[in-house]
Amino acid sequence: MNENLKPIRIHMCDDDPDDQLLVSDALEEARLGNDIDFTNNGKELLQYLNREGQFSHLVDQPLPGLILLDLNMPVMDGREVLSKIKQHEKFRSIPIIVLTTSKAEADIARTYDMGVNSFIMKPVSFDSLVDMVKSVTDYWFHLVSLPQK
Amino acid sequence: MKMGKYSKFKVLIVEDDEDDYILLEELLIEAVGEIGTITWAEDFKSARVKITNEHFDFYFLDNRLGAELGLDLIVEIKQQYETAPPIVMLSGVDDYQTDLEAMEKGADDYLIKSELTAHLLERTFRYSLKSKDLEAKLAKLAHYDGLTGLYNRSLFNELLVKSIQQSERTGQKFALVTLDLDNFKFVNDNYGHPAGDQLLTKISRRLKHSTRSSDIVARLGGDEFSLLLKDVKNDSDFVKLVESIMGIFQEPIQVDSKSVSVTTSAGIAIFPTDAQTASELIDNSDRAMYQAKALGRDNYSFYNQKLHQEAIVKHQLELELNAAIDNNQLLLHYQPIIHLKTGNITSYEALLRWPDKNNGFRNTEEFIEVAEESSLILKIGDWVFKQACLQLKIWSEQGITDRHISINASANQFNSDDFTQQVEKYLKETPDLAKQLTIELTERKPLVISPTTVNRLLLLSGIGFKFSVDDFGIGHSSISYLRAFPMDSIKIDKSIIQNILISEEDLALCTAIIALGKALSLDVIAEGVETEEIANLLSSLSCPYAQGYLYSKPMPL
């Protein structure tokens, strides 16, 4: 039980460094105390989760409690990595929120089909981003009962 | 639900009665669950220290604290914050007057100790936090730009006035930088307003991260940003900071999955150099910004053109010097120090030279001054020390072990442990080299004589270094150096030596310094000896050592 007292680590996979800055600043602004780390595309995200390559030093660290995922990325995009994660026995239980600017309806439906837990449009203003980050963490960490690993 | 909610919370309890404190702590945990840390301050004084040095999320203040009142701490807490966290007063008695006064001063609640229950505490905790949240939200609306999260114009103006007052008190300069995006209208017109907003938000984050936490970044409206840059050592630091701000526009910005390039024009006005009031400073910074725009955008301009030029020249020199150190282009020349009686060379002073492209040398005084103003002097200090050691090693391989080298050190090298640690590490295998090295301290940039600096000098003298006061007789602190630290020698400044034949005062001064040296058992070296006549006179005054063009100019070895 005590384990849960520590704010859960959030991972963000997004190729835009400005968006990475925005989300980590918003977390700080919201005084949530969650640690956040980043990868730049789906391939890196898989390496990160598997603790391979440049992430091998994280081998003893617990997996993130939540993944914020961008859809349009180079090398391996969000959809591809999403289907890989959701088929993976160990990673499939990590909640994934797609955070994107893409509004296409088909996109939304398709990603829910692939097992995404939530689909959120990136807010434009910093204030609403702070509010969003607050709601997301409130929702996932205070209201939802997550399976014990 | 209690679980984890306050696990990062820091609570301060100011209470002079330990039993009351323990009771409150227990009740609090019972009321709201696990709390990150609960800190106890048992009297007014220690509470005050904690309030000024630490941040807490919730304050409980007992009113009776010996002779002092907890009420008076409320003001201290409020001073620390824009919107202070909740403050709850505790009292042994239900005193309406105190209750009113507490509210007046800004306490969020007033509780009677004997009536405390977990239930009551829980409610107070919740309500105070909620109302604080609202208060903070309102303050935020009034002071922050909702789109970018930066300060807005109204708070910026307040902070500008505060910065001016602070600068008048401390004498520290600061710069007002006005930024205006060059092609924002194009983005708005072609990609739509939401894209424009996205662009502004992202630029804001870049601005925030390219500046230091002491800098102030605001969005005044539209595509206009203003910054206050403080804590700079000299004008060329402003150039450095502005260059790094301009640098954030190099990388294109993604808006709506499209890559957009924007540039900015920046104007810089410095207080108090360029203006005496806030509005004058804003006007001049604006003028400079328009000047930059007229220069062809993606440019910055200082209001004060002369300062602009100087700062840029210095900045350039700094870059070149840094490269010269890295590429090992600096040299040491050596000037012998002569024992006047025997004419023998007893040691060499190592002098820094920077060759230029025309087989000459850059002006040493000029580049050292620039180095002193930046951290380059530390890098140079390390380099000179290692170079001198290499020379000593070469001599030692040639069988010469009785030669000494003096190196010039900057006071800045003794402001931290870096230099002494470097030296200790470097000499680990050849500790005997230290005995052949003298460190010359000049008083042009005087050393701050504090116990820690003296300890650093003592450490070096403990491993064998000797110390010398350079340019003795022209500064103000020569004597205080001698009192603060056991020096080994003093070097009479050449402006005195060169006058001893024509000025009775300088002759008297020279004689007195030689006598001073004798009385304190210090070696005395006359600098700048250029003629036989002066050398003879020095001999007759029993000055033991001399250095100057008469014997040799500084030469490569």
Side-chain angles (χ1 to χ4, degrees):
Chain A
M1 217 46 182
N2 233 7
E3 193 87 327
N4 286 354
L5 289 177
K6 204 169 168 257
I8 286 164
R9 172 177 293 273
I10 296 175
H11 182 83
M12 181 176 188
C13 180
D14 193 319
D15 63 320
D16 184 356
D18 288 315
D19 278 331
Q20 299 185 357
L21 270 190
L22 268 166
V23 169
S24 65
D25 281 2
L27 266 179
E28 199 172 305
E29 179 76 26
R31 292 180 197 277
L32 286 170
N34 296 81
D35 284 329
I36 184 162
D37 48 20
F38 303 95
T39 48
N40 301 299
N41 59 57
K43 195 173 162 209
E44 280 186 19
L45 175 56
L46 284 181
Q47 285 181 341
Y48 168 87
L49 291 173
N50 282 309
R51 308 307 197 206
E52 287 169 0
Q54 55 168 315
F55 304 103
S56 54
H57 62 285
L58 298 174
V59 71
D60 298 325
Q61 301 283 319
L63 286 170
L66 180 73
I67 295 173
L68 304 176
L69 183 66
D70 184 23
L71 284 185
N72 301 313
M73 294 181 291
V75 191
M76 184 192 289
D77 73 6
R79 296 163 198 85
E80 194 180 338
V81 72
L82 185 57
S83 70
K84 290 201 156 87
I85 291 174
K86 287 301 167 189
Q87 283 162 26
H88 193 284
E89 194 193 336
K90 206 166 113 211
F91 306 149
R92 64 190 304 166
S93 60
I94 305 173
I96 295 182
I97 297 178
V98 163
L99 198 55
T100 188
T101 44
S102 159
K103 240 186 277 185
E105 292 291 332
D107 229 347
I108 300 181
R110 213 177 121 209
T111 44
Y112 273 117
D113 281 348
M114 289 163 118
V116 141
N117 303 77
S118 203
F119 191 100
I120 299 179
M121 289 285 300
K122 264 180 214 164
V124 167
S125 85
F126 187 67
D127 268 12
S128 17
L129 187 67
V130 173
D131 286 343
M132 183 212 85
V133 169
K134 267 189 198 156
S135 331
V136 162
T137 35
D138 262 359
Y139 179 71
W140 284 107
F141 302 138
H142 290 283
L143 300 177
V144 176
S145 300
L146 293 172
Q148 298 290 320
K149 266 156 256 157
Chain B
M1 275 311 288
K2 281 175 190 171
M3 177 196 73
K5 203 160 181 200
Y6 302 111
S7 62
K8 284 221 154 188
F9 235 67
K10 293 178 72 184
V11 174
L12 179 70
I13 297 177
V14 183
E15 170 63 76
D16 60 353
D17 184 314
E18 187 169 6
D19 291 335
D20 282 358
Y21 158 70
I22 292 170
L23 181 71
L24 179 60
E25 187 192 20
E26 282 171 356
L27 277 177
L28 198 57
I29 292 171
E30 190 189 333
V32 299
E34 193 92 35
I35 288 180
T37 56
I38 297 178
T39 306
W40 177 35
E42 56 181 328
D43 55 41
F44 189 88
K45 225 169 111 189
S46 67
R48 208 158 160 184
V49 172
K50 291 203 162 72
I51 286 167
T52 36
N53 294 321
E54 284 174 63
H55 156 79
F56 296 95
D57 302 292
F58 211 109
Y59 295 84
F60 285 98
L61 308 179
D62 181 20
N63 195 30
R64 286 247 156 268
L65 298 167
E68 273 109 356
L69 290 177
L71 276 176
D72 295 327
L73 288 170
I74 300 178
V75 189
E76 310 254 344
I77 297 169
K78 295 258 166 193
Q79 273 173 1
Q80 306 295 320
Y81 300 91
E82 227 170 90
T83 312
I87 304 168
V88 170
M89 289 298 301
L90 299 165
S91 178
V93 285
D94 188 356
D95 171 10
Y96 188 60
Q97 203 50 45
T98 314
D99 184 352
L100 279 185
E101 210 179 318
M103 188 181 76
E104 211 46 45
K105 292 203 155 138
D108 294 86
D109 211 338
Y110 181 82
L111 302 177
I112 313 302
K113 284 190 212 169
S114 56
E115 298 169 1
L116 279 185
T117 61
H119 183 64
L120 176 69
L121 265 180
E122 192 273 332
R123 205 171 51 205
T124 301
F125 214 70
R126 204 157 28 85
Y127 272 83
S128 310
L129 284 171
K130 183 74 185 168
S131 77
K132 276 299 153 179
D133 218 31
L134 284 175
E135 196 182 319
K137 272 213 174 106
L138 284 175
K140 206 166 156 40
L141 275 181
H143 288 142
Y144 292 84
D145 172 45
L147 178 64
T148 61
L150 298 178
Y151 297 128
N152 65 13
R153 185 187 289 274
S154 104
L155 185 57
F156 181 77
N157 287 339
E158 268 176 48
L159 292 169
L160 174 58
V161 171
K162 267 191 197 154
S163 303
I164 286 179
Q165 290 163 349
Q166 192 184 26
S167 163
E168 280 167 344
R169 244 188 353 260
T170 61
Q172 277 265 355
K173 289 180 182 182
F174 72 91
L176 167 58
V177 183
T178 303
L179 293 183
D180 190 85
L181 303 187
D182 292 326
N183 34 8
F184 182 64
K185 197 174 165 322
F186 175 86
V187 178
N188 251 348
D189 292 350
N190 287 277
Y191 301 100
H193 284 279
D197 284 353
Q198 220 180 333
L199 184 78
L200 293 172
T201 312
K202 290 188 172 179
I203 286 175
S204 302
R205 289 303 113 193
R206 289 194 186 180
L207 280 174
K208 197 86 199 144
H209 285 264
S210 72
T211 49
R212 305 155 303 167
S213 57
S214 58
D215 298 327
I216 285 162
V217 188
R219 174 172 176 243
L220 302 193
D223 58 345
E224 194 190 333
F225 296 90
S226 277
L227 294 92
L228 297 179
L229 308 178
K230 304 200 239 185
D231 288 335
V232 289
K233 280 202 240 115
N234 54 73
D235 295 338
S236 61
D237 283 352
F238 288 129
V239 179
K240 233 179 283 173
L241 292 167
V242 173
E243 294 250 345
S244 76
I245 292 167
M246 301 298 288
I248 68 166
F249 293 91
Q250 299 276 316
E251 287 287 315
I253 296 175
Q254 300 241 345
V255 280
D256 266 355
S257 314
K258 286 179 271 305
S259 193
V260 179
S261 286
V262 280
T263 56
T264 191
S265 302
I268 305 114
I270 292 166
F271 186 88
T273 327
D274 298 339
Q276 300 308 311
T277 64
S279 61
E280 204 186 337
L281 191 66
I282 293 174
D283 287 349
N284 290 345
S285 165
D286 275 349
R287 268 191 206 119
M289 189 270 289
Y290 285 114
Q291 215 165 19
K293 273 222 194 291
L295 283 173
R297 306 179 167 215
D298 195 12
N299 247 312
Y300 62 92
S301 177
F302 279 77
Y303 174 72
N304 185 331
Q305 285 300 304
K306 186 166 163 278
L307 188 147
H308 188 175
Q309 286 314 319
E310 284 170 7
I312 284 179
V313 166
K314 270 193 186 172
H315 180 61
Q316 191 56 35
L317 185 61
E318 232 182 276
L319 295 177
E320 284 173 26
L321 181 56
N322 193 21
I325 303 168
D326 290 345
N327 301 331
N328 220 7
Q329 286 165 345
L330 298 182
L331 299 172
L332 286 184
H333 279 188
Y334 293 86
Q335 187 174 37
I337 295 169
I338 308 291
H339 187 231
L340 269 171
K341 238 184 220 160
T342 60
N344 290 340
I345 296 176
T346 58
S347 70
Y348 290 87
E349 178 179 357
L351 293 151
L352 194 61
R353 294 289 181 263
W354 181 8
D356 65 13
K357 292 189 186 82
N358 314 316
N359 292 324
F361 296 108
R362 312 275 296 239
N363 183 326
T364 309
E365 219 153 287
E366 194 181 285
F367 78 77
I368 287 294
E369 193 185 310
V370 168
E372 286 275 8
E373 286 176 6
S374 66
S375 57
L376 283 181
I377 196 70
L378 304 177
K379 215 164 152 182
I380 291 180
D382 287 346
W383 183 87
V384 167
F385 161 71
K386 284 179 187 162
Q387 249 359 75
C389 287
L390 286 179
Q391 185 58 50
L392 288 172
K393 282 180 192 162
I394 293 174
W395 280 336
S396 140
E397 278 159 20
Q398 294 169 352
I400 308 167
T401 51
D402 56 350
R403 270 189 201 156
H404 289 246
I405 293 179
S406 331
I407 54 177
N408 291 283
S410 157
N412 290 334
Q413 284 169 264
F414 300 100
N415 288 343
S416 80
D417 284 326
D418 293 349
F419 181 65
T420 39
Q421 277 169 1
Q422 278 269 12
V423 168
E424 277 189 296
K425 214 171 99 192
Y426 196 77
L427 290 182
K428 213 166 202 172
E429 275 159 33
T430 49
D432 283 345
L433 288 186
K435 299 195 182 75
Q436 289 168 269
L437 285 165
T438 298
I439 291 177
E440 295 193 6
L441 296 167
T442 175
E443 32 169 24
R444 282 173 202 206
K445 285 260 156 50
L447 192 72
V448 182
I449 299 170
S450 69
T452 41
T453 44
V454 169
N455 277 340
R456 290 183 189 117
L457 299 184
L458 284 173
L459 188 143
L460 292 179
S461 102
I463 57 177
F465 280 85
K466 294 202 166 49
F467 283 88
S468 171
V469 189
D470 205 0
D471 310 315
F472 194 88
I474 55 163
H476 306 288
S477 44
S478 321
I479 303 285
S480 59
Y481 273 15
L482 296 183
R483 291 188 58 200
F485 182 76
M487 293 287 171
D488 302 283
S489 54
I490 46 184
K491 299 182 84 171
I492 310 175
D493 191 70
K494 63 168 177 255
S495 64
I496 298 173
I497 298 299
Q498 283 164 352
N499 272 346
I500 55 175
L501 289 174
I502 47 173
S503 153
E504 277 187 30
E505 286 82 7
D506 281 330
L507 177 60
L509 206 50
C510 179
T511 314
I513 296 174
I514 294 168
L516 178 78
K518 195 175 267 174
L520 294 173
S521 316
L522 299 168
D523 285 338
V524 176
I525 300 149
E527 288 185 295
V529 179
E530 291 179 2
T531 64
E532 281 297 344
E533 289 84 358
I534 290 179
N536 289 337
L537 180 52
L538 286 168
S539 271
S540 71
L541 295 172
S542 337
C543 177
Y545 300 97
Q547 174 183 358
Y549 276 43
L550 173 63
Y551 309 103
S552 168
K553 62 177 193 178
M555 302 266 274
L557 284 174

